[in-house]
Amino acid sequence: MKKYFQSLGYIIFLGVSSYAIITAIKSYEKPFSLYENPLVWIALVAVVLVVLLKEFLNITALQQAEKLRMEKDGITPEEVDIWAGVKKIIKRWTKARALEEESEIILDHNYDGIKELDNSLPPWWLYMFYATIIFGVVYLVRYHVLGADNQATEYNKEMAEARMELQKYQATSPNVFDISTVTQLTDASDLTRGKAVFNLNCAACHAPDGGGGIGPNLTDKHWILGGGFKNAFNTIYNGGRDGKGMVAWSKTLKPNDIQKVASYVLSLQGTTPAKPKDPQGDIWVENTVEEVSSKDSIK
């Protein structure tokens, strides 16, 4: 009776586990993602381990029963070749001949006493060879006759999908900017916020009125790394010249605050600071030089 209860419990466990796993797979968008849904993999591994354990116990019980039967029949278990089944399978898949049987397949000719055996090709190798032929035919028909997408086409499609996903993400994420599309802000509230961030982080080097100090004057038309909004945004975001320019503020400020600071810096153009620093860099004329989108920016 105990055996029947164990079997019933095993069947119930498999049924409930299978139902739970199938439900989870249908519910999740990416059910087999280890990072997003680890519980699915834990459940699968648990079910596999239980099944393997159950089979191991069954095999062990059968072996014990067989051992007792052989002892009852007067057969010593040690005399039985437990690998007989495995050896039979290997022989069937290799068609190997024993050393004493080689005289049956030896060929008549020889080369300086070296004789050749007429061995058959191993079935495992022959079946793999047939499989490659079938694969080659399917591949030829699919990609060269029916015109299915090749690797280059699939790559281009995936890249296009990735760009679309990136655009959707950027459209819904206010703190993500594309330097090629970010624009200068002119709203008073944005400039007020930009001024506040400037006074807190930038005024120590550029002076509160932008006249310059350790850093260059931000009110004149001279720029070290190019003027214009995108250059200003880039320099603040990525930092100035290596070794002697200002740090990259992207590690401290949010991109939307950098956008507001860059907009405020450009609003200082043409103003008269109390103690303006001498001009540095070249005169920037709008639209005469293409604004950059790498680590080349304002001062």
Side-chain angles (χ1 to χ4, degrees):
M1 183 64 69
K2 181 179 178 181
K3 179 180 179 182
Y4 293 110
F5 280 117
Q6 290 177 346
S7 300
L8 180 62
Y10 177 68
I11 294 172
I12 293 174
F13 170 79
L14 287 182
V16 173
S17 300
S18 300
Y19 175 77
I21 292 173
I22 293 172
T23 303
I25 291 174
K26 291 181 178 179
S27 302
Y28 298 130
E29 182 178 353
K30 296 179 180 179
F32 298 108
S33 173
L34 181 61
Y35 295 102
E36 296 182 12
N37 304 300
L39 291 179
V40 174
W41 281 101
I42 293 175
L44 287 172
V45 171
V47 170
V48 172
L49 289 177
V50 170
V51 172
L52 292 177
L53 179 61
K54 179 68 166 56
E55 293 302 317
F56 174 76
L57 294 176
N58 288 340
I59 294 173
T60 302
L62 291 173
Q63 289 177 343
Q64 291 295 331
E66 181 67 16
K67 184 177 181 180
L68 291 174
R69 187 189 64 79
M70 287 189 296
E71 290 177 351
K72 184 178 179 181
D73 295 339
I75 302 174
T76 304
E78 288 74 12
E79 297 177 354
V80 179
D81 188 0
I82 61 175
W83 299 104
V86 176
K87 291 177 180 178
K88 186 176 181 180
I89 294 174
I90 294 175
K91 185 174 182 180
R92 185 187 307 136
W93 279 86
T94 59
K95 284 190 176 180
R97 291 292 190 100
L99 187 62
E100 55 271 12
E101 298 176 354
E102 288 186 353
S103 58
E104 301 175 7
I105 58 174
I106 195 168
L107 296 176
D108 295 334
H109 58 268
N110 66 78
Y111 302 93
D112 294 331
I114 301 174
K115 297 182 179 181
E116 183 180 1
L117 299 177
D118 188 19
N119 279 315
S120 301
L121 287 171
W124 66 266
W125 185 94
L126 200 59
Y127 295 150
M128 288 183 63
F129 179 68
Y130 292 152
T132 59
I133 294 175
I134 295 172
F135 175 84
V137 172
V138 173
Y139 186 93
L140 176 68
V141 173
R142 176 175 172 79
Y143 292 100
H144 295 279
V145 177
L146 300 179
D149 293 342
N150 56 25
Q151 291 180 334
T153 305
E154 290 178 353
Y155 172 79
N156 292 331
K157 285 185 176 180
E158 290 180 2
M159 290 299 294
E161 292 176 2
R163 284 191 291 269
M164 292 177 62
E165 292 295 328
L166 179 61
Q167 290 174 0
K168 291 180 181 179
Y169 176 73
Q170 290 175 341
T172 56
S173 303
N175 289 328
V176 177
F177 284 85
D178 182 356
I179 189 61
S180 63
T181 59
V182 67
T183 57
Q184 182 177 352
L185 303 174
T186 57
D187 189 78
S189 60
D190 293 328
L191 294 179
T192 299
R193 171 64 181 174
K195 180 179 180 180
V197 177
F198 179 89
N199 289 334
L200 181 64
N201 299 282
C202 313
C205 294
H206 294 282
D209 57 6
I214 298 175
N217 185 350
L218 300 177
T219 64
D220 57 30
K221 294 183 179 181
H222 291 77
W223 299 84
I224 297 175
L225 296 176
F229 174 76
K230 289 184 179 179
N231 281 321
F233 180 92
N234 240 337
T235 301
I236 299 171
Y237 190 90
N238 294 313
R241 295 167 294 173
D242 293 335
K244 55 182 177 180
M246 71 177 183
V247 299
W249 287 97
S250 58
K251 300 177 182 179
T252 306
L253 302 177
K254 294 180 179 180
N256 56 356
D257 279 341
I258 295 178
Q259 182 185 24
K260 293 171 184 177
V261 171
S263 299
Y264 173 72
V265 166
L266 292 184
S267 72
L268 297 175
Q269 286 286 287
T271 61
T272 305
K275 297 179 180 180
K277 189 176 181 179
D278 293 337
Q280 294 176 273
D282 301 322
I283 295 179
W284 170 267
V285 179
E286 195 72 29
N287 295 328
T288 59
V289 179
E290 182 181 358
E291 292 192 4
V292 298
S293 59
S294 61
K295 193 179 178 181
D296 301 321
S297 295
I298 69 167
K299 303 253 176 183

